[in-house]
Amino acid sequence: MTTGLLTFIVLILIAIAIWQLTKIFDLSQAKADNTQVANDKDNNINGYLMMGFLMFIYVITIISFWKWGDLPLIGNSASEHGTSVDTLMVISMVLIFFVQTVTQALLHYFAFKYRGKKGRKALYYADNDKLEFIWTIIPVITLAGLILYGLFTWNEIMDVNMDDDPIVVELYAQQFNWKARYAGEDNVLGKANVRLIDLGDNPNILGLDREDKYAQDDVITQELRLPVGRKVVFKMRSQDVLHSAYMPHFRMQMNCVPGQTTEFAMTPTKTTAEMRETPKIVNKVSRINSIRAAKSKELAAKGEEALEPYEFDFLLLCNKICGESHYNMQMKVIVESQEDFDKWIAAQETFGKKK
Amino acid sequence: MSAEALHAKDHGHDHGHDHGHHHKETFITKYIFSQDHKMIAKQYLITGTIMGVIGVMMSIFFRMQIAWPKESFTIFEIFLGNWAPDGVLSADKYLALVTIHGTIMVFFVLTAGLSGTFSNLLIPLQIGARDMASGFLNMVSYWLFFISSVIMVLSLFVEGGAASAGWTIYPPLSALPEAIPGSGLGMTLWLVSMAIFIASSLLGSLNYIVTVINLRTKGMSMTRLPLTIWAFFVTAIIGVVSFPVLLSAALLLIFDRSFGTSFYLSDIFIQGEVLHYQGGSPVLFEHLFWFLGHPEVYIVLLPALGITSEIIATNSRKPIFGYRAMVASILAIAFLSTIVWGHHMFISGMNPFLGSVFTFTTLLIAIPSAVKAFNYITTLWKGNLQLNPAMLFSIGLVSTFITGGLTGIILGDSTLDINVHDTYFVVAHFHLVMGISALYGMFAGIYHWFPRMFGRMMNKNLGYIHFWVTAVCAYGVFFPMHFIGMAGLPRRYYTNSEFPLFDDLADVNVVITMFAIIGGIFQLVFLYNFFSSMFYGKKAPQNPWKSNTLEWTAPVEHMHGNWPGEIPHVHRWAYDYSKPGHDDDFVPQNVPMKEGEEELHH
């Protein structure tokens, strides 16, 4: 609160100072021309400021990269398709920053170089078909390349099929939490509909059809565990509003739509333990933990409970506005070896047994 | 059509008569229910500015919540009342602020405030017409806009709070009051307000189209139109094509909400109960919404680009480079803008094949956009740049248009969109490319045509301060925002403190908020300059910027009909700046060609 108030007061003071400055600026110019149209002096000052602004753009770019540019979601993906997504991302980013650097330089440099001067006459230069053709065709070719690469990757990612013996998992969204349902031995999810939901003594929270034989071996869990190296076919369902199943580390996202089942398939390539060892994550975790330690000290001084140190875990987040607690709709995702996974799933109670 | 008859008469025998003063004007007909396009433009501008103040204040409030989550602020207690018990903003009202900020800025400020103001002011003046084709419909259009603004503002005060489902109001969240309190009366008022807004926009757009087609003065062929008019004209066409679709989307949503139909809803279990809805699909709503929603981006942006084309040419003292390519780009952007809406829905559950198609069309739209950017830069080359505040904002627009547009290459690519969809990367992208760019266009227009509207000059030094602080703050807010988006931070989160994963982004969020607060406060410099110059500004000469277009040939006084005598005829295009063979570095459109003078631009 105090920081907020202080900042506010400082800002108001700055505003007043600048207001006073312009008054002085105005007064000093009172004798000179007062047409309120830019004169040579204005052109000069603002021309130099244009170059200053170009520098500002470059500096803020460099600072952003330096301070926040570990780009946690480029490289270091934990899924098979993630690597090709990351490659395309890197290509696009390099291209973007190249074009950005050059065009901003031209724009601001021209604004500086050709700042107005009394008596100078501009060049009457209305068009040039060759030039315009060149800068139409260059974007055409570059974009064609990007489009092709993008489309191939997209089609590969979105081709959800049952090849390669995947496991089938339902992600079930509700305000404001996630449930997972494993298809069990038969690898087929039992039929379900929200009309069958029963929250009574013998609960049926996901609305499974009790008569359906495929439903009997389904397993409903509060956390998502996946075996490493095995393809997973996710089927998403929502019981109330739109949600979006977002697992950034796997480069995966799909909306959960009430009344419809949506799909996404991916193959995790790193276990949680392996991911924790990667240099990027090690760095990130240590940075976060030093922030948390500092905050804990502050809290301790106020006599409040300290924060727990952070340990990396894969996450499933909701990424489509879904109501009041949208900001805290998450589920832990654990990727482990096939053996560990088998052990874990065997220990879970199946839907049929619960009856 | 009466205006056409009036127009015909002008060419016939109406010499030197101010025919607008047949009857005495009262305060009401002059300032309130005015049918004069210049007054209506001012009404749009003032209303849009007031809505803008509300919208920007909201953004500062929710930025404060993001930077200092769950802190108590006195300023919240004062302005937000029971939305912030004890000065701490509540989670669902955070979403209400975000929603209404988006709605107000997109529709009320950047559609009505920008396009409404400058289409109204400039179309008749720049094409050489006495007024819009229908002054009456024009008046109705403004008053519908006014009513819809009032309803939108009133919706902030109803029980349950204002609409809170995001400005895209996706059902079921927007359809079910059980899902969020703002989807009660607040959402009903939102829908009513938008329905009226759409009616207003359609009346305005039809008027603009008819006026441009029918009421051009003698010699004003389509290829001699200033680029401002091309932009307004094409914008109006996109509006007429796409706004009705939003109206039908809103109507079906009203049916679902109030009359129990199931257009968008199916299989819903909420708060312990199954609802009766069966067979609808929220994806249908998304299609209908974005069929307007995406063209809307260009409805916002094209007028800004038109305005800057004019201002950059005038202040460079050079013809706009590649006039025909600029017109072709406007047309191409307009056409493509209606077939790219699906890029908002790559991961909505629609057929992935559609995703491929929309990726293709979306990346195509980068081409005319790139042509425009290059043409602007070439227009500056070897110019004699008069760096007036309007010119600075125009250059600023080109800068943010490039920065924001480039990241569109990432978002428009379905593969890459998977991981940045609905993160702060998107927020940064569209704020730069349409929010800030269009705002710059609006500021540029205001600084440039203020003398035309009020007969006085705005203070240039205040204008310079306004520009430089705004420019630095806009980048300061939105540039780092890309990076927190790439770190996976989702938008529309009340606080990021529930995820230790995002702890290292807290400091960036503070930086962003600081820039936002400073930038927001400095808009007061503009407001002060605007309102004080209206009354105390230096008296402006008739053509302060030495511009070619027709609006500067008409005297600035309250007069219906624009020109006291005959309407000027047009003999050349609008961009004969620094043309060899002329003494002045500008040749207004109504100056006849000299003997043997060539039209050099073809």
Side-chain angles (χ1 to χ4, degrees):
Chain A
M1 176 60 232
T2 37
T3 30
L5 196 66
L6 262 178
T7 348
F8 189 69
I9 292 168
V10 168
L11 287 168
I12 287 185
L13 287 176
I14 294 175
I16 293 172
I18 290 197
W19 177 48
Q20 291 299 323
L21 273 177
T22 51
K23 283 222 141 169
I24 295 166
F25 202 45
D26 274 352
L27 283 174
S28 68
Q29 286 198 330
K31 273 185 213 133
D33 77 310
N34 188 18
T35 57
Q36 302 300 342
V37 177
N39 53 30
D40 280 2
K41 197 173 141 204
D42 298 319
N43 290 338
N44 229 345
I45 295 174
N46 286 292
Y48 277 99
L49 284 173
M50 278 289 166
M51 288 312 277
F53 191 64
L54 178 64
M55 286 304 119
F56 169 74
I57 294 178
Y58 288 163
V59 166
I60 198 171
T61 309
I62 293 166
I63 290 180
S64 293
F65 267 107
W66 179 54
K67 286 205 68 159
W68 312 301
D70 62 341
L71 300 180
L73 297 184
I74 296 182
N76 211 27
S77 86
S79 67
E80 216 169 86
H81 72 272
T83 30
S84 48
V85 174
D86 289 356
T87 317
L88 180 59
M89 187 69 153
V90 170
I91 295 173
S92 305
M93 287 296 248
V94 169
L95 180 82
I96 285 174
F97 275 97
F98 173 72
V99 178
Q100 161 81 353
T101 309
V102 173
T103 48
Q104 297 289 355
L106 288 177
L107 176 73
H108 291 90
Y109 176 68
F110 286 170
F112 161 74
K113 174 90 197 287
Y114 301 107
R115 62 194 186 278
K117 215 183 254 168
K118 241 198 173 91
R120 178 197 289 163
K121 196 148 184 182
L123 176 72
Y124 189 87
Y125 187 59
D127 48 17
N128 180 330
D129 290 346
K130 208 190 261 172
L131 265 181
E132 285 169 76
F133 177 75
I134 291 174
W135 60 59
T136 311
I137 202 72
I138 290 177
V140 169
I141 293 168
T142 348
L143 288 172
L146 287 180
I147 291 172
L148 281 179
Y149 191 155
L151 289 188
F152 277 117
T153 321
W154 171 253
N155 287 337
E156 235 162 77
I157 296 171
M158 285 297 157
D159 180 21
V160 179
N161 56 39
M162 292 298 281
D163 299 348
D164 306 326
D165 182 33
I167 54 169
V168 177
V169 181
E170 176 179 80
L171 291 178
Y172 185 86
Q174 65 192 128
Q175 282 183 333
F176 298 96
N177 65 68
W178 298 96
K179 305 252 176 336
R181 172 159 67 114
Y182 292 80
E185 304 251 305
D186 55 16
N187 214 14
V188 177
L189 289 164
K191 281 197 202 107
N193 185 285
V194 292
R195 286 180 167 68
L196 303 174
I197 293 177
D198 181 358
L199 303 181
D201 299 333
N202 184 11
N204 178 8
I205 49 172
L206 300 195
L208 269 58
D209 182 353
R210 292 194 200 270
E211 308 303 316
D212 185 4
K213 69 176 162 62
Y214 292 115
Q216 305 312 317
D217 61 348
D218 288 3
V219 172
I220 298 166
T221 62
Q222 305 282 350
E223 63 180 3
L224 181 62
R225 291 202 180 209
L226 303 170
V228 70
R230 175 106 179 260
K231 181 166 147 186
V232 200
V233 170
F234 289 107
K235 311 252 178 193
M236 286 86 166
R237 231 165 26 110
S238 162
Q239 73 169 32
D240 38 40
V241 299
L242 288 176
H243 299 273
S244 188
Y246 180 38
M247 298 194 219
H249 303 101
F250 302 107
R251 313 290 183 266
M252 171 186 152
Q253 181 167 200
M254 184 50 71
N255 284 3
C256 310
V257 185
Q260 184 184 339
T261 305
T262 52
E263 298 179 320
F264 201 104
M266 64 108 175
T267 311
T269 51
K270 290 185 185 126
T271 62
T272 301
E274 284 164 357
M275 191 71 172
R276 282 176 186 163
E277 309 274 291
T278 59
K280 271 199 170 182
I281 296 298
V282 170
N283 274 339
K284 193 172 170 83
V285 169
S286 80
R287 197 167 56 238
I288 289 174
N289 274 330
S290 65
I291 294 170
R292 287 175 82 81
K295 221 182 275 171
S296 292
K297 238 180 239 167
E298 255 174 62
L299 288 175
K302 276 193 254 171
E304 286 172 45
E305 222 176 301
L307 298 171
E308 281 187 23
Y310 169 60
E311 190 171 33
F312 175 83
D313 265 305
F314 293 118
L315 278 179
L316 166 62
L317 300 81
C318 178
N319 196 16
K320 181 63 73 191
I321 180 172
C322 66
E324 191 171 345
S325 298
H326 169 54
Y327 65 93
N328 191 15
M329 178 168 164
Q330 50 176 312
M331 179 156 77
K332 191 160 136 180
V333 181
I334 298 169
V335 181
E336 56 196 359
S337 67
Q338 183 77 46
E339 300 86 76
D340 290 350
F341 173 77
D342 290 340
K343 236 180 275 163
W344 172 77
I345 196 87
Q348 306 299 313
E349 204 171 32
T350 59
F351 179 71
K353 283 232 183 73
K354 267 186 189 158
K355 196 159 44 174
Chain B
M1 192 174 292
S2 65
E4 217 159 55
L6 184 89
H7 195 67
K9 194 182 95 192
D10 294 332
H11 290 300
H13 50 85
D14 179 51
H15 291 283
H17 273 286
D18 52 338
H19 63 268
H21 296 268
H22 293 317
H23 48 87
K24 187 103 184 75
E25 279 191 313
T26 61
F27 179 83
I28 298 222
T29 58
K30 181 172 170 186
Y31 291 107
I32 301 182
F33 294 109
S34 172
Q35 298 190 17
D36 181 78
H37 71 101
K38 301 185 290 298
M39 185 54 70
I40 292 174
K42 290 179 202 171
Q43 293 175 322
Y44 268 109
L45 181 55
I46 304 282
T47 317
T49 307
I50 293 169
M51 293 304 274
V53 171
I54 299 175
V56 169
M57 273 176 64
M58 288 180 158
S59 69
I60 290 177
F61 291 158
F62 63 70
R63 274 309 320 178
M64 287 167 71
Q65 157 63 24
I66 299 172
W68 304 288
K70 298 183 192 170
E71 291 256 5
S72 169
F73 295 101
T74 328
I75 192 168
F76 285 5
E77 270 176 280
I78 297 167
F79 283 101
L80 298 175
N82 63 5
W83 285 21
D86 299 323
V88 181
L89 183 60
S90 67
D92 66 317
K93 295 306 178 270
Y94 168 83
L95 294 177
L97 282 180
V98 173
T99 303
I100 303 298
H101 163 76
T103 311
I104 285 184
M105 295 310 286
V106 170
F107 293 109
F108 292 79
V109 181
L110 295 176
T111 303
L114 170 63
S115 183
T117 303
F118 291 103
S119 297
N120 266 302
L121 178 72
L122 295 177
I123 288 178
L125 278 168
Q126 287 197 334
I127 66 171
R130 295 279 183 210
D131 203 322
M132 284 290 178
S134 168
F136 176 74
L137 285 187
N138 211 16
M139 176 186 82
V140 175
S141 164
Y142 169 73
W143 282 103
L144 287 178
F145 165 57
F146 182 80
I147 293 168
S148 76
S149 304
V150 170
I151 294 176
M152 190 57 78
V153 172
L154 282 182
S155 82
L156 301 173
F157 299 96
V158 299
E159 200 185 336
S164 327
W167 79 281
T168 52
I169 57 153
Y170 284 176
L173 186 59
S174 61
L176 307 172
E178 300 94 322
I180 194 166
S183 289
L185 186 56
M187 179 56 72
T188 306
L189 289 177
W190 193 98
L191 289 164
V192 170
S193 165
M194 280 311 297
I196 298 173
F197 181 91
I198 292 166
S200 151
S201 161
L202 286 176
L203 288 182
S205 298
L206 287 171
N207 225 337
Y208 307 151
I209 294 171
V210 173
T211 309
V212 172
I213 291 178
N214 286 320
L215 297 185
R216 280 168 289 131
T217 183
K218 195 172 170 224
M220 182 63 91
S221 60
M222 291 304 272
T223 49
R224 279 181 182 164
L225 282 180
L227 285 171
T228 33
I229 304 300
W230 266 111
F232 298 146
F233 176 57
V234 174
T235 303
I237 296 174
I238 314 178
V240 170
V241 170
S242 53
F243 263 118
V245 180
L246 181 64
L247 183 63
S248 44
L251 282 179
L252 297 187
L253 185 53
I254 290 173
F255 285 161
D256 274 9
R257 288 167 51 82
S258 306
F259 308 119
T261 56
S262 302
F263 291 105
Y264 306 132
L265 308 177
S266 187
D267 296 336
I268 291 168
F269 180 92
I270 195 164
Q271 294 196 345
E273 264 181 74
V274 176
L275 306 185
H276 70 274
Y277 302 105
Q278 180 71 58
S281 167
V283 179
L284 169 66
F285 178 86
E286 294 177 42
H287 279 296
L288 294 175
F289 181 86
W290 287 113
F291 190 86
L292 159 90
H294 197 80
E296 172 64 26
V297 170
Y298 294 93
I299 291 175
V300 161
L301 193 61
L302 281 181
L305 293 176
I307 285 170
T308 38
S309 303
E310 177 62 29
I311 292 172
I312 286 182
T314 301
N315 285 292
S316 302
R317 317 307 297 160
K318 263 188 81 187
I320 191 83
F321 183 79
Y323 175 83
R324 280 170 305 159
M326 293 297 254
V327 173
S329 302
I330 291 177
L331 293 172
I333 288 175
F335 171 69
L336 289 172
S337 78
T338 58
I339 52 167
V340 297
W341 78 88
H343 66 220
H344 298 270
M345 302 168 56
F346 286 139
I347 53 154
S348 66
M350 74 175 181
N351 187 322
F353 173 71
L354 274 177
S356 318
V357 176
F358 283 118
T359 298
F360 179 70
T361 53
T362 301
L363 294 191
L364 279 189
I365 213 167
I367 296 163
S369 309
V371 169
K372 280 192 99 64
F374 286 129
N375 283 7
Y376 282 130
I377 293 175
T378 319
T379 306
L380 298 184
W381 179 69
K382 293 207 171 175
N384 183 25
L385 311 187
Q386 303 304 310
L387 296 173
N388 288 300
M391 179 65 165
L392 296 185
F393 274 105
S394 303
I395 296 173
L397 176 146
V398 179
S399 175
T400 53
F401 182 60
I402 292 172
T403 311
L406 282 170
T407 49
I409 293 178
I410 287 176
L411 290 161
D413 197 326
S414 49
T415 306
L416 299 178
D417 183 65
I418 294 172
N419 223 46
V420 283
H421 186 92
D422 261 345
T423 65
Y424 271 94
F425 192 84
V426 182
V427 180
H429 159 74
F430 73 75
H431 272 93
L432 276 179
V433 80
M434 80 177 258
I436 297 297
S437 296
L439 265 183
Y440 282 4
M442 185 160 171
F443 285 132
I446 293 171
Y447 281 103
H448 191 75
W449 281 290
F450 191 87
R452 179 48 256 191
M453 281 190 270
F454 300 102
R456 292 173 185 274
M457 306 292 286
M458 284 178 81
N459 182 298
K460 67 178 172 188
N461 289 326
L462 289 178
Y464 291 142
I465 287 171
H466 176 218
F467 171 74
W468 287 113
V469 177
T470 308
V472 167
C473 290
Y475 270 107
V477 170
F478 295 113
F479 203 87
M481 203 180 269
H482 291 102
F483 290 81
I484 57 178
M486 283 190 284
L489 189 65
R491 66 196 281 208
R492 291 167 174 161
Y493 271 19
Y494 167 62
T495 162
N496 309 314
S497 46
E498 299 300 325
F499 293 85
L501 178 67
F502 299 135
D503 272 0
D504 56 343
L505 305 177
D507 61 336
V508 199
N509 270 320
V510 173
V511 171
I512 292 174
T513 300
M514 296 301 285
F515 273 115
I517 292 173
I518 298 171
I521 286 176
F522 268 83
Q523 301 314 305
L524 292 175
V525 174
F526 165 75
L527 288 178
Y528 168 78
N529 194 2
F530 182 79
F531 286 107
S532 73
S533 301
M534 216 185 271
F535 301 105
Y536 309 110
K538 192 180 153 48
K539 283 260 185 225
Q542 189 169 310
N543 188 0
W545 318 116
K546 303 197 172 93
S547 191
N548 284 345
T549 35
L550 291 183
E551 76 272 27
W552 305 105
T553 63
V556 183
E557 50 186 89
H558 185 76
M559 170 182 63
H560 196 80
N562 292 339
W563 285 271
E566 238 184 305
I567 294 182
H569 290 176
V570 164
H571 301 279
R572 55 180 74 238
W573 73 331
Y575 298 106
D576 272 341
Y577 290 104
S578 302
K579 192 172 188 186
H582 289 269
D583 298 333
D584 283 327
D585 64 353
F586 69 113
V587 194
Q589 282 191 281
N590 59 342
V591 174
M593 299 291 271
K594 287 186 189 171
E595 215 162 299
E597 184 181 347
E598 266 182 281
E599 277 198 70
L600 285 172
H601 61 279
H602 285 308

